[in-house]
Amino acid sequence: MERYIAARDRGGHYLLKRLRSDGSFGDGSLADYYKVPCALQACGQNNAASQLCQWIRRHGMDADGDLGPRDNATSGYGYAYFNSCS
């Protein structure tokens, strides 16, 4: 079990290094931050996950409640399920 805990903690530290001071992650595009809050929580980094969620609420959602911004690779993507509630 100790191996798994150590691996989880290394993963959490890797993610924390990529969380910016303004709360964004990576370049701030959907492809960078998608599912990162969940991964941070799984690593026990709840404050960091909350910081990223606050950034997403301020900068990563459009008026319809969809997540973004999208880069060219994900623009026009059809959803199998809704990303967020409006």
Side-chain angles (χ1 to χ4, degrees), residues 15 33-43 45-46 48-50 52-53 56:
L15 294 173
Y33 71 75
Y34 188 66
K35 304 245 179 168
V36 173
C38 187
L40 286 166
Q41 285 184 313
C43 296
Q45 300 293 338
N46 295 330
S50 179
L52 178 53
C53 285
I56 293 168

Side-chain angles (χ1 to χ4, degrees), residues 18-20 22-34 36 52 55-61 67-71 74:
R18 281 136 188 89
L19 188 65
R20 295 182 176 181
D22 68 351
S24 64
F25 186 87
D27 70 6
S29 72
L30 176 62
D32 275 358
Y33 71 75
Y34 188 66
V36 173
L52 178 53
W55 183 89
I56 293 168
R57 285 186 189 112
R58 288 190 309 270
H59 305 286
M61 295 179 79
L67 297 174
R70 297 181 181 284
D71 58 19
T74 58

